[in-house]
Amino acid sequence: MKNLPQKIRSKKLNTRVDMTAMVSVSFLLIIFFMVATELRKPKIMDLSLPDYDCDDCHPGCVDATRIYTILLDDNNKIVTYSGLLDYPREAPKELTYGENGIHKELLNKQKAILEYSTALGKPKSGAIVIIKPSKKSNFKNLVDILDEMAIAKIDTYAIVDEFTLEESKLLASN
């Protein structure tokens, strides 16, 4: 008999997989998804809208003393007036942003209007603010005014994009 060549068997090695890189990648993925989830949360502001079902909601039923209009223009310019522009309760004035400007004015207006409404027997009737940004104003100014509404606790306000001819003249003159 001839010697048959023997099969060469390879030596079995213990297979060991290094999981260090996989653990690092999984932690990075967990951190990424946690941060992405936090950044994806909407940043919103509460907005109160009027009840359109009420029968007595028409333009003539609002006391003009409660109306306060803010006109926003370019270069951080703010012009305000109380009441209606045809019959203003006080002369229109130009204000600035900041603690001694529009911030102080809104707090004083809200306080005065709440006192006036309480005297009339309507204790929760605060200021009605009409915000009118011009086409030249920037978005930051509008957001700043909305922040001031929240700080002054003014719940009733509207953003209107139409200027009357008198308001356009008022902005041009100041």
Side-chain angles (χ1 to χ4, degrees), residues 116-170:
Y116 167 79
S117 297
T118 305
L120 291 178
K122 299 176 182 177
K124 295 197 178 199
S125 298
I128 300 170
V129 178
I130 301 171
I131 303 167
K132 294 188 175 187
S134 71
K135 298 204 183 308
K136 298 176 189 174
S137 69
N138 59 32
F139 188 70
K140 180 189 178 303
N141 292 348
L142 180 62
V143 171
D144 289 343
I145 289 296
L146 291 176
D147 287 341
E148 292 296 340
M149 294 294 124
I151 292 168
K153 295 182 175 70
I154 297 174
D155 295 330
T156 309
Y157 57 90
I159 301 170
V160 179
D161 61 351
E162 295 177 14
F163 280 80
T164 63
L165 184 61
E166 292 83 13
E167 288 171 337
S168 298
K169 288 178 184 176
L170 180 66

Side-chain angles (χ1 to χ4, degrees), residues 12-31:
K12 299 256 180 178
L13 297 175
N14 288 339
T15 55
R16 184 170 179 268
V17 177
D18 188 16
M19 299 294 281
T20 306
M22 193 167 170
V23 170
S24 296
V25 168
S26 63
F27 277 120
L28 286 173
L29 285 172
I30 289 171
I31 291 170

Side-chain angles (χ1 to χ4, degrees), residues 75-125:
N75 298 326
N76 299 332
K77 183 173 156 184
I78 303 172
V79 177
T80 64
Y81 62 91
S82 293
L84 303 174
L85 190 55
D86 296 335
Y87 310 102
R89 311 254 329 139
E90 60 186 47
K93 57 182 157 183
E94 189 170 338
L95 297 171
T96 60
Y97 288 93
E99 206 168 310
N100 292 325
I102 190 70
H103 178 79
K104 185 177 180 180
E105 182 72 16
L106 283 174
L107 290 174
N108 291 339
K109 281 291 174 199
Q110 177 71 341
K111 183 180 176 187
I113 292 171
L114 282 173
E115 288 173 0
Y116 167 79
S117 297
T118 305
L120 291 178
K122 299 176 182 177
K124 295 197 178 199
S125 298

